[in-house]
Amino acid sequence: MGCQNDQLIAKVLGLFDQISKLESLKPCKHVNTLFTELVLTCTPPAPDFDISQLPNNVQDARSKLIRLCGEAEGNMEDHFSTILNSYENPLNHLNLFPYYSNYIKLGQLEFQILTQHINTNQVPKKIAFIGSGPLPLTSIVLATNHLTTTTFHNYDISPSANSLARRLVGADPDLSKRMIFHTKDIMKVSLNELKEYDVVFLAALVGMCKEDKIKAIEHLAKNMAPGAMLMLRSAHGARAFLYPIVDPSDLKGFQVLSVFHPTDEVINSVVIARKYVALNQATMIMPNNCKCTEIHPFINHEEFATKGIQL
């Protein structure tokens, strides 16, 4: 790797050393400063940065750093969900969350990607979001701005996370009916449940190591309905110090339709895939006018349509 990448790695390792020594990862000025610096270090485009070429000691540090980032992110969402729930109408104050604008852009991105691969007259009726957490902003943004008749089933393993999330939407007469929460491990969500969903979202931090991520994907491949869509979040370049990478080759049982790598402040890459229809059931489902894997390294969010679709 070049000198610039060597400097980036050195800075990330220095921040990892500081973060790993913290007594707590709950939000405070020092914790916020360290993670902000880490994000700012990793988000600038680094087209020649190949995470797979890192030496073993850096790979080990990266794995640990992803877990620390996941814990800190969970603490931050818990903290802000608690603050929001102190208001009579929490949804009116979502902009208090410092990364809310990122979720607005990510929601636009994911909606635009999804609509490129479904018929406009087949609006998803039921969507599952796996790993929704205490602040389910993706579901809220999509349900409010884009998929205004869709029911969202949010799955999280934490009862306290679901309790906070349920309270967030409880005062809204529409979302309180269309946002449903399940306290379950994804590996225990059965065929009878998963086959009901037109689209399944898998959160970035569900399966923080590659082995666990692949197990989750395999479970979805076995139990999702044939032809249903799977949307996953991944990472590219130095952003892979923050989140796990989902490689298209990991998606056995699915046809990968597109991989999008944003280069702006939206950190996560987005992967969309379609569950194959078994050959003994019907003709293999293929996307219309789409290559098997279409990789887009840059997305211009200003080109996105922001209006929702109605039944």
Side-chain angles (χ1 to χ4, degrees), residues 265-276:
E265 65 271 23
V266 175
I267 296 173
N268 290 117
S269 300
V270 179
V271 181
I272 183 169
R274 182 185 277 124
K275 168 76 179 289
Y276 281 126

Side-chain angles (χ1 to χ4, degrees), residues 36 66 101 122 124 135:
T36 298
I66 288 173
S101 62
Q122 293 181 340
L135 192 59

Side-chain angles (χ1 to χ4, degrees), residues 125-287:
K125 294 182 178 179
K126 296 174 69 175
I127 287 178
F129 194 98
I130 311 298
S132 49
L135 192 59
L137 286 176
T138 296
S139 293
I140 290 172
V141 167
L142 289 173
T144 302
N145 298 344
H146 305 293
L147 296 164
T148 57
T149 60
T150 302
T151 300
F152 287 78
H153 288 254
N154 301 283
Y155 289 82
D156 200 278
I157 199 170
S158 168
S160 61
N162 276 336
S163 177
L164 285 168
R166 192 178 292 111
R167 287 168 56 197
L168 282 178
V169 300
D172 187 280
D174 175 37
L175 291 191
S176 60
K177 296 176 182 177
R178 292 195 295 120
M179 296 272 286
I180 300 167
F181 297 90
H182 306 271
T183 303
K184 285 187 177 182
D185 184 333
I186 176 57
M187 301 303 293
K188 297 180 181 178
V189 181
S190 68
L191 167 65
N192 289 336
E193 283 186 74
L194 286 171
K195 71 179 183 180
E196 296 296 319
Y197 301 118
D198 304 303
V199 183
V200 176
F201 282 78
L202 187 65
L205 295 176
V206 174
M208 285 189 283
C209 69
K210 191 173 184 67
E211 292 77 13
D212 289 343
K213 181 77 73 176
I214 289 176
K215 285 180 183 178
I217 292 169
E218 288 175 345
H219 182 74
L220 294 173
K222 290 178 182 177
N223 294 290
M224 284 173 58
M229 294 291 189
L230 175 63
M231 297 198 72
L232 310 96
R233 291 172 182 174
S234 182
H236 183 65
R239 299 172 187 214
F241 280 113
L242 308 174
Y243 290 102
I245 293 174
V246 177
D247 191 88
S249 64
D250 298 332
L251 292 164
K252 293 177 174 61
F254 295 91
Q255 180 177 14
V256 178
L257 304 178
S258 292
V259 181
F260 289 80
H261 297 311
T263 57
D264 59 8
E265 65 271 23
V266 175
I267 296 173
N268 290 117
S269 300
V270 179
V271 181
I272 183 169
R274 182 185 277 124
K275 168 76 179 289
Y276 281 126
V277 174
L279 288 173
N280 61 353
Q281 293 176 350
T283 303
M284 192 77 75
I285 289 182
M286 299 294 287

Side-chain angles (χ1 to χ4, degrees), residues 12-13 15-17 19-21 25 35 38 56-73 205 208-210 240-244:
V12 169
L13 291 178
L15 289 166
F16 165 65
D17 183 62
I19 290 169
S20 62
K21 293 176 180 176
L25 295 178
F35 278 101
L38 177 65
N56 290 338
N57 66 311
V58 181
Q59 294 282 9
D60 182 61
R62 171 182 170 257
S63 298
K64 293 175 180 176
L65 183 57
I66 288 173
R67 291 188 177 277
L68 292 170
C69 289
E71 182 181 345
E73 185 171 320
L205 295 176
M208 285 189 283
C209 69
K210 191 173 184 67
F241 280 113
L242 308 174
Y243 290 102

